[in-house]
Amino acid sequence: MTREGLTELPPPAGNAICCDCGRPTYAPVPVRHIERGSGPGHTVYACPRCAPDVAPGPLPGEVSP
């Protein structure tokens, strides 16, 4: 868990799509952050049901540049 994970605002309810089952989730669990070469990266979310089965990746602040 990172400080950003505790302090950043969660996505609006219903706007997060589970990366495993593809359904909208009202309780998104961040599982990894994908950096981009140009522009900000984005966080990938899973629903609480799928989160234990998704291989976690680095979240913001967990990988040094």
Side-chain angles (χ1 to χ4, degrees):
M1 178 65 65
T2 64
R3 179 175 45 195
E4 290 81 12
L6 295 171
T7 58
E8 69 183 14
L9 295 173
N15 286 350
I17 304 296
C18 177
C19 65
D20 193 46
C21 67
R23 293 186 215 150
T25 177
Y26 293 101
V29 177
V31 291
R32 73 179 61 93
H33 186 77
I34 299 175
E35 290 293 333
R36 295 184 183 170
S38 61
H42 69 278
T43 303
V44 177
Y45 297 95
C47 66
R49 174 183 257 172
C50 296
D53 299 327
V54 175
L59 292 174
E62 292 183 344
V63 177
S64 59

